[in-house]
Amino acid sequence: MIEVDGTLVHEDVLKQEFVCNLNKCKGICCVEGDSGAPLDHHEKLILEEIYPKIKHLLAPKGIEAIEKFGTSVTDSDGDLTTTCVDGDKECAYVTFENGITKCAIEKAYEQGLVDWKKPISCHLYPIRITKYPEFDALNYDRWHICHDACSFGRELNIKVFEFLREPLIRKYGEQWYNELEVVAQNLP
């Protein structure tokens, strides 16, 4: 782990290649898994606020899950997450276009309906943040369904942190990201 302005960043975030390839994976990360996307408490409040503005973009089964369980849930590990369809299937906020999973929240953002792009954990994937009282630890989450993203990243020679420049700046700021770039350039 490397310290960057009050965070600890795993070296794999700086060394491994990764670029999402939706044409290959079809956005399966929004469908697979055993719970929804991790949420910060303030994001729960945002979801409650924006739900009426994005509801028309959701699939009927997503609306049904949200109406039944709420805009967010606490999973079996006690973590706050997005609601899932049938408890552990796709995220309730997904929509499908031409066989590709898309985020209805992000779609609403792009249409100017809301000013929040999507949960930061989704925007940052494959980085997962573990919060400690004194710092955040950023780790690269390896998942077999992202094999095509790893291959595509190698082909384009783009590292995880480079691919995630926008969400990293969204989370930690431009100065933090610039420091991360300097650290990455100086790695052996």
Side-chain angles (χ1 to χ4, degrees), residues 92-137:
Y93 296 96
V94 300
T95 184
F96 299 93
E97 293 178 12
N98 302 319
I100 296 177
T101 303
K102 300 278 182 127
C103 177
I105 301 166
E106 188 169 10
K107 196 171 176 179
Y109 174 82
E110 290 167 353
Q111 293 176 7
L113 301 174
V114 297
D115 61 1
W116 186 63
K117 191 165 192 170
K118 59 182 161 183
I120 194 66
S121 68
C122 300
H123 204 184
L124 279 171
Y125 199 78
I127 291 177
R128 283 293 187 222
I129 298 172
T130 305
K131 294 178 181 295
Y132 295 96
E134 299 82 28
F135 60 88
D136 287 353

Side-chain angles (χ1 to χ4, degrees), residues 3 13 19 28-29 33 45 47-48 50 56 64 68 79 82 86-87 96 98 101 151-152 161-162 168 177:
E3 195 275 328
V13 170
V19 174
I28 195 70
C29 62
L45 302 175
L47 285 173
E48 291 169 358
I50 69 169
H56 69 283
E64 182 181 333
K68 184 174 183 180
D79 297 322
T82 57
D86 295 328
F96 299 93
N98 302 319
T101 303
S151 300
F152 198 35
F161 81 97
E162 294 168 322
L168 285 168
Y177 187 83

Side-chain angles (χ1 to χ4, degrees), residues 1-2 8-15 138-140 142:
M1 299 291 270
I2 299 167
L8 291 180
V9 180
H10 195 282
E11 286 187 23
D12 287 350
V13 170
L14 305 173
K15 292 183 174 183
L138 285 70
N139 290 289
Y140 170 39
R142 285 177 168 66

Side-chain angles (χ1 to χ4, degrees), residues 39-49 71-72 80:
L39 294 171
D40 292 332
H41 181 72
H42 76 278
E43 291 179 314
K44 173 186 174 161
L45 302 175
I46 293 170
L47 285 173
E48 291 169 358
E49 180 187 325
T71 55
S72 62
L80 186 62

Side-chain angles (χ1 to χ4, degrees), residues 13-14 16-19 127 153 156-168 177 180-181 184-185:
V13 170
L14 305 173
Q16 298 299 308
E17 293 90 1
F18 189 98
V19 174
I127 291 177
L156 299 174
N157 192 30
I158 295 175
K159 309 293 186 217
V160 173
F161 81 97
E162 294 168 322
F163 172 66
L164 296 175
R165 182 180 194 280
E166 178 189 341
L168 285 168
Y177 187 83
L180 183 70
E181 283 184 314
Q185 290 168 1

Side-chain angles (χ1 to χ4, degrees), residues 15-27:
K15 292 183 174 183
Q16 298 299 308
E17 293 90 1
F18 189 98
V19 174
C20 285
N21 190 343
L22 288 176
N23 291 325
K24 297 273 185 160
C25 74
K26 309 297 186 200

